[in-house]
Amino acid sequence: MERFPDLNKYEHIHFIGIGGVSMSSLAVILSENGKIVTGSDSAESDNTKMLAEHGISVFIGHDGANIDGADLIVYTAAIKDSNPELVRAKETGVPSIERAVLLGMLMSLYPHSAAVAGTHGKSTTTSMLSSVMLDSKLDPTILIGAHFDRINANYRVGLSEYAVYEACEYVNSFHHFYPDTAIILNIDADHLDFFKDIDDIKKSFKKFIGNVNENGTIIINGDDPNCKGLTDGCRQKVITFGFDSSNDCFAQNVRQENGFPVFDAVLYDERIQNIKLSVLGTHNILNALASICCAKNYGIENDAVISGLQKFKGADRRFQIVKTVNGAQIADDYAHHPTEIEATISAAKAAGYKKICVIFQPHTYTRTKLLSDRFISSLSKADEVILTDIFSAREINTIGASVMDITAGIKGARYISSKEDIAKFIKDSAKPNEVYILMGAGDINKTAELL
């Protein structure tokens, strides 16, 4: 298969913000296909070190001179117009494109490309589907927003016509993608620093659905009220999934074995029996059903579906056990939205821990402020809650967001500021058969290094 015909005229591609998960993988893919690749980032990281090992020059710090010699600039949505490298590119006329545009260009080269979208579960479902496709010997190209242990990376370059990748809705990034198959896992109120409200989010997903090839397929959660009606009038094939038997694909005989979900999947008139997952939580049954719909639509045999799903042990930072302290397990979990928090706590309860302690770092001021009541409701389902300072990410606190508003709303919740003090709390409190979940999309996971 010919690769990158739209990029043939570019020899030297420079990435601004190259240390990001997606940016670093795209940089390596282009480098492996003969391009000169350079990049810059604000700080050294494991990803920048990995890039150096691949022979890619990375500048730490941003400077206009960093782009010298480049004939194409790629930047992330987080890069401001005032970035000196972007300013230099505009002054010198070097073309600049967002990461999402580049990803859309690359994925359009694959006749069978599956884009996994949804407010929650994208990395998990992309990894699940990848695991199934690997067992089917389809030799897929893979791009995931988290480390996947089966490929020991977050990307894989295959040599077939099949690709699977994440499609993020933030700043309408997925509007640049034109997949053969679109998976819509769910739609929830999030990224309200960009979207006006849930209706604005639904409109964005509707536009993405319209990008799917006319002869392609839309796989959508039939149980999710915000997904209802989005595929009305679509020319593409539509497959619905969920727990309700009115869906094209649904789960039956749902049960638990050693805390892990086991179920049968019914797709039209076919039943796949005794599917065993190796990840906790009934929400992962929905992720598995979405993967099954795509796999079967691509003609993958049941044996590969069953084995691929069972081999999937979880994506990085998704209820990942990272340490044991005094007989208690320390878990790292990326949940940063109330729906995700509730799903993680529910999964921990199903695992049978004597006590579930959530140590939560809110992510972005906007999300913390606008979803405060929902955070209180979801976190209250844990046995014990510790909150720490908001991870600002891309924002400045101009709206008066405060973690103390959430702390005050949860009975018995405590606020601890420093990671050192959080680590001391865990060491002093942990007992056998308990779990302490370091939860959030920021840097709360670094607390584990202090244990």
Side-chain angles (χ1 to χ4, degrees):
M1 181 175 64
E2 185 182 10
R3 293 188 177 279
F4 315 136
D6 295 328
L7 296 172
N8 280 343
K9 59 182 178 180
Y10 303 112
E11 294 297 325
H12 179 175
I13 302 172
H14 180 84
F15 288 74
I16 308 175
I18 197 169
V21 173
S22 179
M23 290 282 275
S24 58
S25 58
L26 288 170
V28 173
I29 290 172
L30 288 170
S31 177
E32 288 183 353
N33 283 270
K35 299 296 182 182
I36 299 170
V37 177
T38 58
S40 61
D41 215 304
S42 58
E44 190 177 54
S45 65
D46 290 342
N47 279 343
T48 61
K49 293 175 184 175
M50 175 275 292
L51 291 165
E53 292 172 0
H54 279 83
I56 295 172
S57 296
V58 178
F59 302 97
I60 302 303
H62 298 291
D63 188 291
N66 292 345
I67 75 165
D68 287 352
D71 51 11
L72 179 66
I73 306 298
V74 181
Y75 60 96
T76 70
I79 298 298
K80 306 296 184 184
D81 290 341
S82 58
N83 180 281
E85 295 171 29
L86 204 54
V87 169
R88 177 71 174 272
K90 291 177 180 178
E91 289 175 347
T92 56
V94 178
S96 305
I97 59 173
E98 285 194 20
R99 176 203 64 87
V101 176
L102 175 65
L103 178 55
M105 292 167 67
L106 297 187
M107 291 300 101
S108 293
L109 299 175
Y110 296 86
H112 303 296
S113 62
V116 182
T119 310
H120 319 294
K122 291 185 290 293
S123 293
T124 294
T125 305
T126 306
S127 300
M128 274 186 176
L129 179 55
S130 296
S131 185
V132 171
M133 293 174 78
L134 289 170
D135 273 21
S136 73
K137 312 303 182 187
L138 282 185
D139 192 19
T141 290
I142 300 166
L143 281 168
I144 307 174
H147 185 273
F148 177 33
D149 61 353
R150 286 200 64 183
I151 58 176
N152 195 32
N154 69 304
Y155 73 94
R156 177 184 189 272
V157 180
L159 297 177
S160 74
E161 296 184 340
Y162 290 85
V164 56
Y165 62 105
E166 289 190 39
C168 183
E169 75 275 14
Y170 184 56
V171 298
N172 292 326
S173 290
F174 60 1
H175 291 176
H176 298 290
F177 307 155
Y178 296 85
D180 164 68
T181 301
I183 297 174
I184 313 296
L185 298 169
N186 42 62
I187 299 175
D188 205 345
D190 198 13
H191 298 307
L192 296 174
D193 58 322
F194 177 76
F195 295 110
K196 291 184 293 186
D197 50 31
I198 188 64
D199 288 335
D200 194 27
I201 297 170
K202 288 164 68 174
K203 288 178 184 176
S204 181
F205 273 86
K206 180 74 173 178
K207 179 173 174 57
F208 167 63
I209 285 172
N211 286 357
V212 178
N213 299 340
E214 283 194 5
N215 296 321
T217 303
I218 300 163
I219 298 166
I220 192 165
N221 186 338
D223 291 349
D224 189 322
N226 289 322
C227 290
K228 300 288 187 184
L230 282 189
T231 56
D232 290 352
C234 288
R235 295 184 180 182
Q236 300 92 337
K237 178 181 179 180
V238 176
I239 305 174
T240 61
F241 68 91
F243 287 107
D244 194 282
S245 60
S246 62
N247 289 295
D248 300 314
C249 182
F250 57 93
Q252 275 191 341
N253 300 325
V254 177
R255 54 210 186 273
Q256 301 279 334
E257 290 185 7
N258 300 317
F260 294 101
V262 182
F263 64 99
D264 298 344
V266 179
L267 176 58
Y268 301 124
D269 296 326
E270 183 178 9
R271 178 183 295 272
I272 308 175
Q273 293 182 307
N274 208 35
I275 298 170
K276 297 182 179 181
L277 301 184
S278 301
V279 285
L280 296 170
T282 55
H283 63 287
N284 275 315
I285 295 177
L286 289 172
N287 295 333
L289 290 173
S291 302
I292 290 166
C293 290
C294 186
K296 295 301 296 179
N297 198 52
Y298 282 158
I300 294 175
E301 298 294 332
N302 291 351
D303 287 347
V305 170
I306 293 169
S307 65
L309 289 175
Q310 188 165 11
K311 287 178 183 176
F312 173 65
K313 307 294 184 183
D316 195 41
R317 299 201 65 193
R318 273 65 175 181
F319 206 89
Q320 181 182 17
I321 304 302
V322 292
K323 281 198 176 179
T324 300
V325 175
N326 301 337
Q329 290 188 322
I330 312 302
D332 178 13
D333 195 275
Y334 194 72
H336 54 284
H337 184 281
T339 300
E340 298 163 353
I341 292 168
E342 192 164 339
T344 297
I345 294 172
S346 176
K349 287 182 176 179
Y353 292 104
K354 285 184 178 179
K355 185 178 83 170
I356 300 166
C357 178
V358 171
I359 300 150
F360 181 59
Q361 179 189 51
H363 189 262
T364 76
Y365 300 116
T366 305
R367 186 182 286 115
T368 304
K369 181 77 171 180
L370 297 180
L371 301 180
S372 178
D373 289 344
R374 290 184 62 187
F375 278 120
I376 291 170
S377 176
S378 59
L379 287 166
S380 294
K381 299 182 185 302
D383 299 313
E384 187 171 15
V385 179
I386 305 296
L387 291 110
T388 192
D389 295 309
I390 299 169
F391 189 84
S392 60
R394 53 190 172 265
E395 294 184 339
I396 298 173
N397 191 6
T398 59
I399 56 175
S402 172
V403 68
M404 302 311 295
D405 293 338
I406 299 175
T407 307
I410 302 171
K411 185 178 179 179
R414 296 170 54 194
Y415 164 78
I416 302 178
S417 178
S418 74
K419 294 179 179 63
E420 289 78 12
D421 287 342
I422 292 172
K424 183 179 186 302
F425 160 77
I426 294 173
K427 291 175 184 177
D428 292 343
S429 306
K431 294 180 178 62
N433 300 319
E434 297 179 344
V435 64
Y436 291 74
I437 308 173
L438 303 172
M439 184 179 285
D443 62 358
I444 187 64
N445 60 316
K446 293 182 179 178
T447 306
E449 299 170 6
L450 306 173
L451 295 172

